[in-house]
Amino acid sequence: MSRSPTSSLPVLPLYGSGAAQIVAVVVGTGVLAASSWIQVPMIPVPITMQTLAITMIGAFYGWRLALATVLAWFAEAVFGLPVLAGGAAGIAHFVGPTGGYLLGFAIAAGVVGLAAEQGLLRRSLAMSLGVMLAANALIIAIGCVWLARFVGWEASITAGATPFIVGGIVKAALATGIYEAVGKRA
């Protein structure tokens, strides 16, 4: 990892060669795909490890490369690669009940990446945890609002938000721990 000229964040070569950036995107989309396969099947939205991967990519890549990685992962899914939850693919996932969560992933990756570039993840353990919690909450909120279009508000809260709260907290704590162990030493 190298340090970007604008921050103390250990980002993968955001300002490095184009080849290094392509490798980072490929590795990141692979991590996202692998995290999609680790799931607890639920209807209409499964619980996966994707939110952990999203926050880690944001923390280590910075907002631009993180967003590029998430968008590349989306493109892989649209073109039929089995990279979404449970090996799913196709445009239907972006316009159906899970579309808001996917949109939330892109926004959360950018938010965590921006926070990392601004040095917020390095300020304190509490600040890092707060950023990771906020990213998870953002994904749940955007996903829940989108899901309500399909199942109504009550069902959206019951099936699209409540089951994800504890997992979001645990994954935010895990992301903070990983960043504390790896990111601050890089």
Side-chain angles (χ1 to χ4, degrees):
M1 283 188 276
S2 64
R3 297 194 189 275
S4 76
T6 59
S7 74
S8 60
L9 168 71
V11 292
L12 293 175
L14 177 61
Y15 301 100
S17 73
Q21 291 176 4
I22 291 169
V23 168
V25 169
V26 169
V27 168
T29 61
V31 167
L32 284 166
S35 72
S36 300
W37 283 84
I38 303 168
Q39 70 170 346
V40 176
M42 292 180 21
I43 296 174
V45 181
I47 295 175
T48 68
M49 292 303 287
Q50 292 167 313
T51 51
L52 175 63
I54 289 291
T55 55
M56 292 288 72
I57 288 168
F60 289 108
Y61 281 22
W63 80 266
R64 291 171 198 86
L65 192 55
L67 187 56
T69 300
V70 173
L71 294 177
W73 178 58
F74 288 172
E76 291 171 355
V78 167
F79 288 113
L81 295 177
V83 297
L84 299 177
I91 192 91
H93 298 281
F94 294 89
V95 297
T98 59
Y101 298 94
L102 293 168
L103 175 61
F105 288 165
I107 294 169
V111 166
V112 173
L114 184 60
E117 287 182 14
Q118 298 299 316
L120 297 179
L121 300 183
R122 289 181 173 260
R123 279 203 187 143
S124 69
L125 182 64
M127 180 66 77
S128 183
L129 179 60
V131 168
M132 300 302 184
L133 285 169
N136 277 274
L138 189 61
I139 293 167
I140 293 169
I142 294 169
C144 191
V145 167
W146 181 276
L147 182 60
R149 298 176 46 218
F150 297 91
V151 299
W153 279 107
E154 187 175 329
S156 180
I157 298 295
T158 302
T162 305
F164 300 103
I165 294 171
V166 171
I169 293 168
V170 170
K171 288 183 264 184
L174 185 56
T176 301
I178 292 168
Y179 188 81
E180 289 290 314
V182 177
K184 285 191 171 180
R185 288 171 176 67

